[in-house]
Amino acid sequence: GGGGGGGDDDDAAEAAGQLIDEEELPIGAMDWRVFLTYLRYTAGSPWMIALIFALYVTYQLATTGGTLWLAHWSNVHASGDQVWFYVGMYALFALVAAAVTLARTLVWAQAALNGARRLHDEVLWAVLHSPMRFFYRTPTGRITNRFSRDLRHCDMWMPDIVSDFFLGTLWVLVSVGTVLVLCPWLVATFAPYVGALWWLQRVYRPTSLAVGRLESVSASPIFAHYAATLEGLVSARALGLHAHLTAENRRLMLANMRCEYARMNAARWLGLRLGVCAAVLVFFVTCVLALLPNPTGASTNAFAGLVISLTQDLSASFGWVLNTQTNLERSMNRVERLLEYIKLPPEEAPST
């Protein structure tokens, strides 16, 4: 285990003369059971998960309904009391979206706070009840990394990342459904685009996830080095080891920064290709709407303009969802590392 103690791994390490356990670096795709476990920690029950999901869906339907109502309004010649009717309906969609947004934010914020508290309490309990062998074989900096960077990420960034993933995914699904209902001919245009996105995520996601795991693992030696330097500060000054300790710290920091640099390069690689695919999609959608007679089945160009507008937004939203999904998987690595410590075997009760 990554700093865990007990069992056959410790016996094997002792037989090999290894004093410190190597931190485990998971390989491969993220296990989605980790994500489900995080939802269980946050929501607490299937009913709360259903409520949160229903609020997200209601918000998306309200915003899309307002957009469709606005397009329908521009397609008719309203006058007198009809104008107030259309204004009232559009205001109703906006009020529903605002009310659901407030409820969704409050419910999800409370659920995320409860989840972060449960994770912290269970990790703390597991570490405090671990056998002494665990503390002998695990550097202090590795434990500090769990309780600082990993828990801070779950407290501060994880709720926003999960919320963005839900919102982006639902927006894309509802918008694609709206576009295809208004203009079924665009199926032939969206199919190659979705295929290109599928290929991009097959290449980008494993790379980004692996880099994120390397970044998390490479941070632990930095904390361990800080802890060891502070504990032996008097000896380091007496022996004149300032230059050596500074060089070692620089080496560890550079190893961690290389992972961040690789992540940024991967993001730039993805952004360039998503931009090209988006431009090609908008071009072909515009050509289809311009060449086909009455492609949306509407008597005016209102819905055709809506299709072009949604397509332009979709081209950016597809990339946003892909990035958010990758960030979610990379963030779940923090939860995965915390769950690893939650599963630590406790100290055996003394025999009576």
PDB file of all heavy atoms in Angstrom, residues 221-241:
ATOM      1  N   PRO A 221       7.392  13.628  -1.036  1.00  0.00           N
ATOM      2  CA  PRO A 221       8.781  13.821  -0.607  1.00  0.00           C
ATOM      3  C   PRO A 221       9.110  15.252  -0.219  1.00  0.00           C
ATOM      4  O   PRO A 221      10.012  15.478   0.610  1.00  0.00           O
ATOM      5  CB  PRO A 221       9.585  13.385  -1.847  1.00  0.00           C
ATOM      6  CG  PRO A 221       8.683  12.451  -2.579  1.00  0.00           C
ATOM      7  CD  PRO A 221       7.314  12.984  -2.360  1.00  0.00           C
ATOM      8  N   ILE A 222       8.398  16.242  -0.783  1.00  0.00           N
ATOM      9  CA  ILE A 222       8.645  17.639  -0.403  1.00  0.00           C
ATOM     10  C   ILE A 222       8.262  17.855   1.054  1.00  0.00           C
ATOM     11  O   ILE A 222       9.026  18.446   1.837  1.00  0.00           O
ATOM     12  CB  ILE A 222       7.854  18.591  -1.330  1.00  0.00           C
ATOM     13  CG1 ILE A 222       8.307  18.416  -2.776  1.00  0.00           C
ATOM     14  CG2 ILE A 222       8.030  20.034  -0.887  1.00  0.00           C
ATOM     15  CD1 ILE A 222       7.517  19.238  -3.770  1.00  0.00           C
ATOM     16  N   PHE A 223       7.079  17.373   1.434  1.00  0.00           N
ATOM     17  CA  PHE A 223       6.665  17.500   2.829  1.00  0.00           C
ATOM     18  C   PHE A 223       7.585  16.706   3.756  1.00  0.00           C
ATOM     19  O   PHE A 223       7.914  17.159   4.860  1.00  0.00           O
ATOM     20  CB  PHE A 223       5.221  17.019   2.988  1.00  0.00           C
ATOM     21  CG  PHE A 223       4.197  17.958   2.419  1.00  0.00           C
ATOM     22  CD1 PHE A 223       3.713  17.784   1.133  1.00  0.00           C
ATOM     23  CD2 PHE A 223       3.724  19.028   3.163  1.00  0.00           C
ATOM     24  CE1 PHE A 223       2.769  18.643   0.607  1.00  0.00           C
ATOM     25  CE2 PHE A 223       2.787  19.898   2.641  1.00  0.00           C
ATOM     26  CZ  PHE A 223       2.304  19.709   1.361  1.00  0.00           C
ATOM     27  N   ALA A 224       7.983  15.515   3.312  1.00  0.00           N
ATOM     28  CA  ALA A 224       8.883  14.705   4.140  1.00  0.00           C
ATOM     29  C   ALA A 224      10.231  15.399   4.330  1.00  0.00           C
ATOM     30  O   ALA A 224      10.808  15.368   5.428  1.00  0.00           O
ATOM     31  CB  ALA A 224       9.073  13.333   3.492  1.00  0.00           C
ATOM     32  N   HIS A 225      10.718  16.049   3.275  1.00  0.00           N
ATOM     33  CA  HIS A 225      11.998  16.745   3.375  1.00  0.00           C
ATOM     34  C   HIS A 225      11.896  17.941   4.311  1.00  0.00           C
ATOM     35  O   HIS A 225      12.814  18.212   5.107  1.00  0.00           O
ATOM     36  CB  HIS A 225      12.445  17.196   1.980  1.00  0.00           C
ATOM     37  CG  HIS A 225      13.796  17.840   1.949  1.00  0.00           C
ATOM     38  ND1 HIS A 225      13.967  19.207   1.937  1.00  0.00           N
ATOM     39  CD2 HIS A 225      15.043  17.297   1.956  1.00  0.00           C
ATOM     40  CE1 HIS A 225      15.251  19.487   1.908  1.00  0.00           C
ATOM     41  NE2 HIS A 225      15.930  18.344   1.924  1.00  0.00           N
ATOM     42  N   TYR A 226      10.791  18.680   4.229  1.00  0.00           N
ATOM     43  CA  TYR A 226      10.589  19.795   5.163  1.00  0.00           C
ATOM     44  C   TYR A 226      10.574  19.305   6.610  1.00  0.00           C
ATOM     45  O   TYR A 226      11.223  19.897   7.491  1.00  0.00           O
ATOM     46  CB  TYR A 226       9.257  20.490   4.861  1.00  0.00           C
ATOM     47  CG  TYR A 226       9.305  21.449   3.705  1.00  0.00           C
ATOM     48  CD1 TYR A 226       8.221  21.583   2.848  1.00  0.00           C
ATOM     49  CD2 TYR A 226      10.421  22.245   3.468  1.00  0.00           C
ATOM     50  CE1 TYR A 226       8.251  22.456   1.774  1.00  0.00           C
ATOM     51  CE2 TYR A 226      10.470  23.116   2.397  1.00  0.00           C
ATOM     52  CZ  TYR A 226       9.375  23.230   1.553  1.00  0.00           C
ATOM     53  OH  TYR A 226       9.417  24.090   0.505  1.00  0.00           O
ATOM     54  N   ALA A 227       9.829  18.222   6.863  1.00  0.00           N
ATOM     55  CA  ALA A 227       9.729  17.707   8.222  1.00  0.00           C
ATOM     56  C   ALA A 227      11.091  17.239   8.741  1.00  0.00           C
ATOM     57  O   ALA A 227      11.472  17.529   9.884  1.00  0.00           O
ATOM     58  CB  ALA A 227       8.718  16.563   8.271  1.00  0.00           C
ATOM     59  N   ALA A 228      11.824  16.513   7.887  1.00  0.00           N
ATOM     60  CA  ALA A 228      13.138  16.017   8.315  1.00  0.00           C
ATOM     61  C   ALA A 228      14.113  17.169   8.550  1.00  0.00           C
ATOM     62  O   ALA A 228      14.926  17.131   9.484  1.00  0.00           O
ATOM     63  CB  ALA A 228      13.693  15.054   7.272  1.00  0.00           C
ATOM     64  N   THR A 229      14.056  18.208   7.715  1.00  0.00           N
ATOM     65  CA  THR A 229      14.953  19.359   7.880  1.00  0.00           C
ATOM     66  C   THR A 229      14.670  20.095   9.177  1.00  0.00           C
ATOM     67  O   THR A 229      15.594  20.480   9.908  1.00  0.00           O
ATOM     68  CB  THR A 229      14.801  20.314   6.690  1.00  0.00           C
ATOM     69  OG1 THR A 229      15.097  19.611   5.477  1.00  0.00           O
ATOM     70  CG2 THR A 229      15.748  21.494   6.814  1.00  0.00           C
ATOM     71  N   LEU A 230      13.376  20.293   9.486  1.00  0.00           N
ATOM     72  CA  LEU A 230      13.039  20.980  10.729  1.00  0.00           C
ATOM     73  C   LEU A 230      13.423  20.164  11.952  1.00  0.00           C
ATOM     74  O   LEU A 230      13.889  20.717  12.964  1.00  0.00           O
ATOM     75  CB  LEU A 230      11.534  21.287  10.746  1.00  0.00           C
ATOM     76  CG  LEU A 230      11.051  22.328   9.739  1.00  0.00           C
ATOM     77  CD1 LEU A 230       9.534  22.470   9.795  1.00  0.00           C
ATOM     78  CD2 LEU A 230      11.718  23.677   9.997  1.00  0.00           C
ATOM     79  N   GLU A 231      13.272  18.843  11.893  1.00  0.00           N
ATOM     80  CA  GLU A 231      13.644  18.009  13.027  1.00  0.00           C
ATOM     81  C   GLU A 231      15.159  18.005  13.267  1.00  0.00           C
ATOM     82  O   GLU A 231      15.614  17.953  14.413  1.00  0.00           O
ATOM     83  CB  GLU A 231      13.153  16.581  12.802  1.00  0.00           C
ATOM     84  CG  GLU A 231      11.632  16.439  12.867  1.00  0.00           C
ATOM     85  CD  GLU A 231      11.174  15.032  12.531  1.00  0.00           C
ATOM     86  OE1 GLU A 231      12.068  14.176  12.294  1.00  0.00           O
ATOM     87  OE2 GLU A 231       9.958  14.783  12.508  1.00  0.00           O
ATOM     88  N   GLY A 232      15.924  18.034  12.191  1.00  0.00           N
ATOM     89  CA  GLY A 232      17.379  17.997  12.337  1.00  0.00           C
ATOM     90  C   GLY A 232      18.049  19.319  12.043  1.00  0.00           C
ATOM     91  O   GLY A 232      19.187  19.356  11.559  1.00  0.00           O
ATOM     92  N   LEU A 233      17.356  20.428  12.319  1.00  0.00           N
ATOM     93  CA  LEU A 233      17.882  21.743  11.964  1.00  0.00           C
ATOM     94  C   LEU A 233      19.181  22.058  12.711  1.00  0.00           C
ATOM     95  O   LEU A 233      20.122  22.616  12.124  1.00  0.00           O
ATOM     96  CB  LEU A 233      16.821  22.806  12.271  1.00  0.00           C
ATOM     97  CG  LEU A 233      17.114  24.214  11.754  1.00  0.00           C
ATOM     98  CD1 LEU A 233      17.285  24.210  10.245  1.00  0.00           C
ATOM     99  CD2 LEU A 233      15.995  25.173  12.169  1.00  0.00           C
ATOM    100  N   VAL A 234      19.246  21.702  13.978  1.00  0.00           N
ATOM    101  CA  VAL A 234      20.460  21.993  14.752  1.00  0.00           C
ATOM    102  C   VAL A 234      21.660  21.246  14.183  1.00  0.00           C
ATOM    103  O   VAL A 234      22.749  21.809  13.999  1.00  0.00           O
ATOM    104  CB  VAL A 234      20.228  21.621  16.234  1.00  0.00           C
ATOM    105  CG1 VAL A 234      21.526  21.815  17.030  1.00  0.00           C
ATOM    106  CG2 VAL A 234      19.109  22.466  16.828  1.00  0.00           C
ATOM    107  N   SER A 235      21.462  19.956  13.870  1.00  0.00           N
ATOM    108  CA  SER A 235      22.566  19.169  13.303  1.00  0.00           C
ATOM    109  C   SER A 235      22.957  19.690  11.920  1.00  0.00           C
ATOM    110  O   SER A 235      24.146  19.726  11.572  1.00  0.00           O
ATOM    111  CB  SER A 235      22.159  17.696  13.212  1.00  0.00           C
ATOM    112  OG  SER A 235      21.853  17.179  14.496  1.00  0.00           O
ATOM    113  N   ALA A 236      21.959  20.106  11.132  1.00  0.00           N
ATOM    114  CA  ALA A 236      22.261  20.615   9.786  1.00  0.00           C
ATOM    115  C   ALA A 236      23.098  21.887   9.866  1.00  0.00           C
ATOM    116  O   ALA A 236      24.040  22.071   9.078  1.00  0.00           O
ATOM    117  CB  ALA A 236      20.957  20.876   9.025  1.00  0.00           C
ATOM    118  N   ARG A 237      22.781  22.764  10.801  1.00  0.00           N
ATOM    119  CA  ARG A 237      23.581  23.986  10.966  1.00  0.00           C
ATOM    120  C   ARG A 237      24.984  23.667  11.467  1.00  0.00           C
ATOM    121  O   ARG A 237      25.964  24.279  11.026  1.00  0.00           O
ATOM    122  CB  ARG A 237      22.876  24.926  11.936  1.00  0.00           C
ATOM    123  CG  ARG A 237      21.628  25.585  11.354  1.00  0.00           C
ATOM    124  CD  ARG A 237      20.906  26.415  12.401  1.00  0.00           C
ATOM    125  NE  ARG A 237      19.777  27.122  11.821  1.00  0.00           N
ATOM    126  CZ  ARG A 237      18.898  27.836  12.539  1.00  0.00           C
ATOM    127  NH1 ARG A 237      19.030  27.892  13.871  1.00  0.00           N
ATOM    128  NH2 ARG A 237      17.895  28.447  11.942  1.00  0.00           N
ATOM    129  N   ALA A 238      25.074  22.719  12.395  1.00  0.00           N
ATOM    130  CA  ALA A 238      26.391  22.378  12.939  1.00  0.00           C
ATOM    131  C   ALA A 238      27.299  21.771  11.880  1.00  0.00           C
ATOM    132  O   ALA A 238      28.512  22.027  11.869  1.00  0.00           O
ATOM    133  CB  ALA A 238      26.224  21.407  14.115  1.00  0.00           C
ATOM    134  N   LEU A 239      26.737  20.981  10.980  1.00  0.00           N
ATOM    135  CA  LEU A 239      27.535  20.317   9.948  1.00  0.00           C
ATOM    136  C   LEU A 239      27.635  21.123   8.663  1.00  0.00           C
ATOM    137  O   LEU A 239      28.274  20.683   7.704  1.00  0.00           O
ATOM    138  CB  LEU A 239      26.928  18.938   9.646  1.00  0.00           C
ATOM    139  CG  LEU A 239      26.914  17.950  10.818  1.00  0.00           C
ATOM    140  CD1 LEU A 239      26.172  16.672  10.430  1.00  0.00           C
ATOM    141  CD2 LEU A 239      28.344  17.626  11.253  1.00  0.00           C
ATOM    142  N   GLY A 240      26.970  22.273   8.607  1.00  0.00           N
ATOM    143  CA  GLY A 240      27.049  23.123   7.413  1.00  0.00           C
ATOM    144  C   GLY A 240      26.400  22.506   6.189  1.00  0.00           C
ATOM    145  O   GLY A 240      26.973  22.545   5.093  1.00  0.00           O
ATOM    146  N   LEU A 241      25.203  21.938   6.370  1.00  0.00           N
ATOM    147  CA  LEU A 241      24.515  21.246   5.275  1.00  0.00           C
ATOM    148  C   LEU A 241      23.504  22.133   4.554  1.00  0.00           C
ATOM    149  O   LEU A 241      22.600  21.621   3.890  1.00  0.00           O
ATOM    150  CB  LEU A 241      23.802  19.993   5.820  1.00  0.00           C
ATOM    151  CG  LEU A 241      24.701  18.930   6.433  1.00  0.00           C
ATOM    152  CD1 LEU A 241      23.870  17.784   6.997  1.00  0.00           C
ATOM    153  CD2 LEU A 241      25.703  18.415   5.399  1.00  0.00           C
TER     154      LEU A 241
END
